[in-house]
Amino acid sequence: MVKELVKYPDPSIRRISGNVRFFDDNLRAVVSDMIDTMKANNLKALSAILIGIDLNIIALNRGNGYEPYINSRIIKHSKKTTATERSIYYDGISVDVERYEKITVVYEDLDANVHNCDFEGEEARIFQQHLDHCFGSTFVDRVDKEVKQRINDYLEFGLVKDSSNGSCPTVFYRDYIKRAAKYTMLAIFLTFIVPFFTKGALLEYIYAIEKYIVWLVPALIIGYFFYAQYESQKYKQCTSCQIGNILGSVFIMFLQLLIILLGVFIWMQPKL
């Protein structure tokens, strides 16, 4: 059945969608309605909230049919690009939005089987836009204050107010902690060339400093994890605040830390 699309100024777009718990005939009916609505409106993708159903479901037409992505989470991403986006919800508005060029998504199908899928380019952008909807966000939450104000002035009733604890900020403070950890590891890594040139007092001096500084890195990673948890609760509507993204970043940093520790205590340690 074709459903009416949720459009501005309907405030239900700000509802945060819950995860699907029951994989039954009701779920199949919802997905069927989403696909019918996509066909009727010639849409490439649709999130359930855009037909008034606050469940984490995205339907996507990848050219070979319509597929549902249920309880989706981004677990990996790379490279950011900026492109112009338009919205089903905000008719007549287009803005430049920065998003990930490549993403890996984990999701469930209609039978609750878990899968992962890679998206790239325009497909990745479209999927991220609709995943934003699942978390109560729209693309205007990703632009700076000046652009957002212009959009607010353009709209008859102004921007739809956020029903959560604030819109997605352009900068997360946890990123400063993450950057500090990475720069510290990079600085230590660059010293690994020293043993190629000297075995004397300079190497001993660098090692004496590094064996203490290196422990700053796990402290920063742990600090990043806990502060990221705080931001994930504060900005629940932001796809970048998903726990999968945070855990993925922590895992990668700990792998990098392991390499640094091996370099410091095996490669850099002066041989007696």
Side-chain angles (χ1 to χ4, degrees), residues 176-205:
Y176 293 115
I177 304 173
K178 180 179 178 180
R179 200 171 298 141
K182 289 193 170 184
Y183 286 161
T184 302
M185 287 191 284
L186 177 61
I188 295 172
F189 182 79
L190 292 175
T191 66
F192 290 173
I193 65 171
V194 173
F196 289 110
F197 301 103
T198 181
K199 301 291 183 182
L202 178 59
L203 179 59
E204 293 180 5
Y205 177 73

Side-chain angles (χ1 to χ4, degrees), residues 74-78 80 100 104 172 174-179 181-182 185 217-218 220-229 231 239-258:
I74 296 173
I75 58 172
K76 185 179 178 182
H77 53 72
S78 62
K80 287 186 176 182
Y100 296 114
T104 299
F172 290 97
R174 66 173 182 264
D175 290 335
Y176 293 115
I177 304 173
K178 180 179 178 180
R179 200 171 298 141
K182 289 193 170 184
M185 287 191 284
V217 178
L220 287 169
I221 296 174
I222 293 170
Y224 166 84
F225 174 77
F226 284 107
Y227 192 80
Q229 293 295 303
E231 287 192 330
T239 54
S240 57
C241 282
Q242 294 176 42
I243 188 63
N245 290 345
I246 296 166
L247 290 175
S249 295
V250 169
F251 178 73
I252 291 171
M253 285 192 288
F254 268 119
L255 285 181
Q256 294 168 337
L257 174 61
L258 178 60

Side-chain angles (χ1 to χ4, degrees), residues 4 91 148 155 157 195 225 264:
E4 183 179 355
D91 278 337
K148 187 178 292 187
L155 294 169
F157 304 105
F225 174 77
V264 170

